[in-house]
Amino acid sequence: MKTIEKYSGLRIALHWLMVLLVVGVYATINLSDFFPKGSSARDGIKAWHYILGRSVLALGVIRVLARWAQLGTPDLPGHARQVERAGAGLWGLYP
């Protein structure tokens, strides 16, 4: 596999956008508990939860495509077994 020196700005941005979306999904589902069932505020928050959840799915697909397009990951410092396990974990998340 081809190796690169560091992750591209695109991949870093996609990573942090995914973090923000997951935090948003978590926050919206927990915020909905503060409103009575059937209220318009609760329904609105749940709608945002679904929108953000679909965005996580779409961004996951984009991240996989970006990984395949760039081919390769940076060389990881450390023991060879750690490098092998890191690669196995990466391919477990993004086959």
Side-chain angles (χ1 to χ4, degrees), residues 7 13 18 21 39-40 45 49 54 65 71-72 80 86 90 93:
Y7 288 109
M18 179 70 84
L21 286 173
S39 69
S40 61
I45 289 174
H49 173 76
R54 281 182 247 156
L65 295 175
L71 299 175
L90 182 66
L93 292 172

Side-chain angles (χ1 to χ4, degrees), residues 24-68:
V25 168
Y26 181 77
T28 54
I29 201 61
N30 285 312
L31 281 174
S32 69
D33 291 340
F34 291 108
F35 297 97
K37 289 185 179 181
S39 69
S40 61
R42 184 179 176 120
D43 291 340
I45 289 174
K46 286 176 79 174
W48 272 106
H49 173 76
Y50 295 131
I51 290 167
L52 293 173
R54 281 182 247 156
S55 299
V56 167
L57 176 63
L59 188 59
V61 170
I62 292 169
R63 286 184 70 181
V64 168
L65 295 175
R67 177 164 171 34
W68 285 339

Side-chain angles (χ1 to χ4, degrees), residues 6-19 63 70:
K6 65 178 190 170
Y7 288 109
S8 70
L10 172 66
R11 285 174 63 183
I12 293 169
L14 290 175
H15 169 80
W16 287 109
L17 181 57
M18 179 70 84
V19 169
R63 286 184 70 181
Q70 290 181 347

